[in-house]
Amino acid sequence: MILNNSYHEIMDQIEVTDEMRSRILSNLSKEMVDMDDKPSKVVRFSKWQKYASIAACLAVLIVCGAVVQNLAHREPDVPQEGAAGPVADIVECASAEELSEKAGFTVEELKELPFAVSEVSYTWQWNEFAQIDYTGENNALMYRKALGDEDISGVYTEYANVQTQDINGDTVTIKGTDDMCYLATWQSDGYTHALYADNGVSYDDMNEMIALLIP
């Protein structure tokens, strides 16, 4: 369990030095003398119970102090060299040409989009698919391509309007609402493709972009 792991991790940090042990015993002796000099309380305990309670409290305080001190000086966890992670699994490329070289197949680039583009990024992701992101002020478009025939869009929204169209000889599945198109997927020459618009585009605009991507 997570709680047990955290407990063991904290306990591993506890170090009680000889100086700390001497201070505990000294404080315990002092408390015993003070308790004998004080008048009795309404709720009474035997001397053994009183001394045991004091010792337990002092031990807890000293141990907590030691843990806090050790954790304060504990060095942060540093990822091991060569460890797998998001940085290692997503490779940024400078252009569509460089992305194509990384992927091992040609990745087509859209030169005309239905909105003004301010930024374009090229990435080879999880050693599985190439992705180009076109970002604008009011919209963003994602294009993915990979070997095979599986759906690589990563979009699982249920759209009211789902239709298929023949574009340049390939069957394309287009999804959206009555007025706006959001997702298009298709297979061509052993590759699978996905085109997704964050805020949607018109069906005509989507068809034109798909026609540019299908050789």
Side-chain angles (χ1 to χ4, degrees), residues 165-199:
Q165 295 186 27
D166 184 283
I167 301 178
N168 290 352
D170 289 327
T171 301
V172 181
T173 300
I174 299 176
K175 300 180 180 181
T177 61
D178 290 338
D179 301 322
M180 301 293 287
C181 176
Y182 290 88
L183 176 66
T185 58
W186 68 97
Q187 286 78 44
S188 178
D189 296 329
Y191 295 96
T192 182
H193 306 254
L195 194 60
Y196 174 75
D198 284 3
N199 296 326

Coordinates of all heavy atoms in Angstrom, one line a residue, residues 165-199:
Q165 N -16.7 9.6 -47.4 CA -16.6 10.3 -48.7 C -15.4 9.7 -49.5 O -14.4 9.2 -48.8 CB -16.4 11.8 -48.6 CG -17.6 12.5 -48.0 CD -17.4 14.0 -48.0 OE1 -16.7 14.5 -48.9 NE2 -18.1 14.7 -47.1
D166 N -15.5 9.7 -50.8 CA -14.4 9.2 -51.6 C -13.6 10.5 -52.0 O -14.2 11.4 -52.7 CB -14.9 8.5 -52.8 CG -13.8 8.0 -53.7 OD1 -13.2 8.8 -54.4 OD2 -13.5 6.8 -53.6
I167 N -12.4 10.6 -51.6 CA -11.6 11.7 -51.9 C -10.3 11.2 -52.6 O -9.5 10.5 -51.9 CB -11.2 12.6 -50.7 CG1 -12.5 13.1 -50.0 CG2 -10.3 13.7 -51.0 CD1 -12.3 13.9 -48.7
N168 N -10.1 11.5 -53.8 CA -8.9 11.1 -54.6 C -8.7 9.6 -54.5 O -7.6 9.1 -54.5 CB -7.6 11.8 -54.0 CG -7.6 13.3 -54.4 OD1 -8.5 13.8 -55.1 ND2 -6.6 14.0 -53.8
G169 N -9.8 8.8 -54.5 CA -9.8 7.4 -54.6 C -9.7 6.7 -53.2 O -9.7 5.5 -53.2
D170 N -9.6 7.4 -52.1 CA -9.6 6.8 -50.8 C -10.9 7.1 -50.1 O -11.5 8.2 -50.2 CB -8.4 7.4 -50.0 CG -7.1 6.9 -50.5 OD1 -7.0 5.7 -51.0 OD2 -6.1 7.6 -50.4
T171 N -11.3 6.2 -49.2 CA -12.5 6.3 -48.5 C -12.2 7.0 -47.1 O -11.4 6.5 -46.4 CB -13.2 5.0 -48.2 OG1 -13.5 4.3 -49.4 CG2 -14.5 5.2 -47.3
V172 N -12.8 8.2 -46.9 CA -12.5 9.0 -45.7 C -13.7 9.1 -44.8 O -14.8 9.3 -45.3 CB -12.1 10.4 -46.1 CG1 -11.7 11.2 -44.9 CG2 -10.9 10.4 -47.1
T173 N -13.5 8.8 -43.5 CA -14.6 8.9 -42.5 C -14.5 10.3 -41.9 O -13.4 10.7 -41.4 CB -14.5 7.9 -41.4 OG1 -14.6 6.6 -42.0 CG2 -15.6 8.0 -40.4
I174 N -15.6 11.1 -42.0 CA -15.6 12.5 -41.5 C -16.6 12.6 -40.4 O -17.8 12.1 -40.6 CB -15.9 13.5 -42.6 CG1 -14.8 13.4 -43.7 CG2 -16.0 14.9 -42.1 CD1 -15.0 14.3 -44.9
K175 N -16.3 13.2 -39.3 CA -17.2 13.3 -38.1 C -17.3 14.8 -37.7 O -16.3 15.5 -37.7 CB -16.6 12.5 -37.0 CG -16.5 11.0 -37.3 CD -16.0 10.2 -36.1 CE -15.9 8.7 -36.4 NZ -15.4 7.9 -35.3
G176 N -18.5 15.1 -37.3 CA -18.7 16.5 -36.8 C -20.2 16.7 -36.4 O -20.9 15.7 -36.1
T177 N -20.6 18.0 -36.4 CA -22.0 18.3 -36.1 C -22.6 18.6 -37.5 O -22.0 18.4 -38.5 CB -22.0 19.5 -35.2 OG1 -21.4 20.7 -35.8 CG2 -21.3 19.2 -33.9
D178 N -23.8 19.2 -37.4 CA -24.4 19.6 -38.7 C -23.7 20.6 -39.5 O -23.7 20.7 -40.7 CB -25.9 20.0 -38.4 CG -26.8 18.9 -37.9 OD1 -26.4 17.7 -38.2 OD2 -27.8 19.1 -37.3
D179 N -23.1 21.5 -38.7 CA -22.4 22.7 -39.4 C -20.9 22.6 -39.4 O -20.3 23.2 -40.3 CB -22.8 24.0 -38.7 CG -24.3 24.2 -38.7 OD1 -24.9 23.9 -39.7 OD2 -24.8 24.7 -37.6
M180 N -20.3 21.9 -38.5 CA -18.8 22.0 -38.4 C -18.3 20.5 -38.4 O -18.8 19.6 -37.8 CB -18.4 22.6 -37.1 CG -18.9 24.1 -36.9 SD -18.1 25.2 -38.1 CE -16.5 25.3 -37.5
C181 N -17.1 20.4 -39.0 CA -16.4 19.1 -39.1 C -15.2 19.2 -38.2 O -14.5 20.2 -38.2 CB -16.0 18.9 -40.6 SG -15.0 17.4 -40.8
Y182 N -15.0 18.1 -37.4 CA -13.9 18.1 -36.4 C -12.8 17.1 -36.8 O -11.6 17.3 -36.6 CB -14.4 17.8 -35.0 CG -15.2 19.0 -34.5 CD1 -16.6 19.1 -34.8 CD2 -14.6 20.0 -33.7 CE1 -17.3 20.2 -34.3 CE2 -15.4 21.1 -33.2 CZ -16.7 21.2 -33.5 OH -17.4 22.2 -33.0
L183 N -13.2 15.9 -37.2 CA -12.3 14.8 -37.3 C -12.5 14.1 -38.7 O -13.6 13.8 -39.1 CB -12.5 13.8 -36.2 CG -11.7 12.5 -36.2 CD1 -10.2 12.8 -36.0 CD2 -12.1 11.5 -35.1
A184 N -11.3 13.7 -39.2 CA -11.3 12.9 -40.5 C -10.2 11.8 -40.3 O -9.1 12.1 -39.9 CB -11.0 13.8 -41.7
T185 N -10.6 10.6 -40.7 CA -9.6 9.5 -40.6 C -9.7 8.7 -41.9 O -10.8 8.5 -42.5 CB -9.9 8.6 -39.4 OG1 -11.2 8.0 -39.5 CG2 -9.7 9.3 -38.1
W186 N -8.6 8.1 -42.4 CA -8.6 7.3 -43.6 C -7.3 6.5 -43.6 O -6.3 6.7 -42.9 CB -8.7 8.2 -44.8 CG -7.6 9.1 -45.1 CD1 -6.5 8.8 -46.0 CD2 -7.3 10.4 -44.6 NE1 -5.7 9.9 -46.1 CE2 -6.1 10.8 -45.2 CE3 -7.9 11.2 -43.7 CZ2 -5.5 12.1 -44.9 CZ3 -7.3 12.4 -43.4 CH2 -6.2 12.9 -44.0
Q187 N -7.3 5.5 -44.5 CA -6.2 4.6 -44.8 C -5.8 4.7 -46.3 O -6.7 4.8 -47.1 CB -6.5 3.2 -44.4 CG -6.5 2.9 -43.0 CD -7.8 3.3 -42.3 OE1 -8.9 3.1 -42.8 NE2 -7.7 3.9 -41.1
S188 N -4.5 4.8 -46.5 CA -4.1 4.9 -47.9 C -2.7 4.3 -48.1 O -1.8 4.7 -47.3 CB -4.1 6.4 -48.3 OG -3.6 6.6 -49.6
D189 N -2.5 3.4 -49.0 CA -1.2 2.8 -49.4 C -0.5 2.2 -48.1 O 0.7 2.4 -48.0 CB -0.4 3.8 -50.1 CG -1.0 4.3 -51.4 OD1 -1.7 3.4 -52.1 OD2 -0.7 5.4 -51.8
G190 N -1.2 1.6 -47.2 CA -0.6 1.0 -46.1 C -0.4 1.9 -44.9 O 0.2 1.5 -43.9
Y191 N -0.8 3.1 -45.0 CA -0.7 4.1 -43.9 C -2.1 4.6 -43.4 O -3.0 4.6 -44.2 CB 0.1 5.4 -44.4 CG 1.5 5.0 -44.8 CD1 1.9 4.8 -46.1 CD2 2.5 5.0 -43.8 CE1 3.2 4.5 -46.5 CE2 3.8 4.7 -44.2 CZ 4.1 4.5 -45.5 OH 5.4 4.2 -45.8
T192 N -2.1 4.9 -42.1 CA -3.3 5.4 -41.5 C -3.1 6.9 -41.2 O -2.0 7.3 -40.8 CB -3.7 4.6 -40.3 OG1 -4.9 5.1 -39.7 CG2 -2.6 4.7 -39.2
H193 N -4.2 7.7 -41.4 CA -4.1 9.1 -41.2 C -5.2 9.6 -40.3 O -6.3 9.0 -40.2 CB -4.2 9.9 -42.6 CG -3.3 9.4 -43.6 ND1 -2.2 10.1 -44.0 CD2 -3.3 8.2 -44.4 CE1 -1.6 9.4 -45.0 NE2 -2.2 8.3 -45.2
A194 N -5.0 10.8 -39.7 CA -6.0 11.4 -38.8 C -5.8 12.9 -38.9 O -4.7 13.4 -38.8 CB -5.9 10.9 -37.4
L195 N -6.9 13.6 -39.1 CA -6.8 15.1 -39.1 C -7.9 15.6 -38.2 O -9.1 15.3 -38.3 CB -7.1 15.6 -40.6 CG -6.8 17.0 -40.9 CD1 -5.3 17.3 -40.7 CD2 -7.2 17.3 -42.4
Y196 N -7.5 16.4 -37.2 CA -8.4 16.9 -36.2 C -8.3 18.4 -36.0 O -7.2 18.9 -35.8 CB -8.2 16.2 -34.9 CG -9.0 16.7 -33.7 CD1 -10.4 16.4 -33.6 CD2 -8.4 17.5 -32.7 CE1 -11.1 16.9 -32.6 CE2 -9.2 18.0 -31.7 CZ -10.6 17.7 -31.6 OH -11.3 18.2 -30.6
A197 N -9.5 19.1 -36.0 CA -9.5 20.5 -35.7 C -10.1 20.8 -34.4 O -11.3 20.4 -34.1 CB -10.3 21.2 -36.8
D198 N -9.4 21.5 -33.5 CA -9.9 21.8 -32.2 C -11.3 22.4 -32.1 O -12.2 22.0 -31.4 CB -8.9 22.7 -31.4 CG -7.7 21.9 -30.9 OD1 -7.6 20.7 -31.3 OD2 -6.8 22.5 -30.3
N199 N -11.5 23.5 -32.9 CA -12.7 24.2 -32.9 C -13.6 24.0 -34.2 O -14.6 24.7 -34.4 CB -12.5 25.7 -32.8 CG -11.8 26.1 -31.5 OD1 -12.1 25.5 -30.4 ND2 -10.9 27.1 -31.5

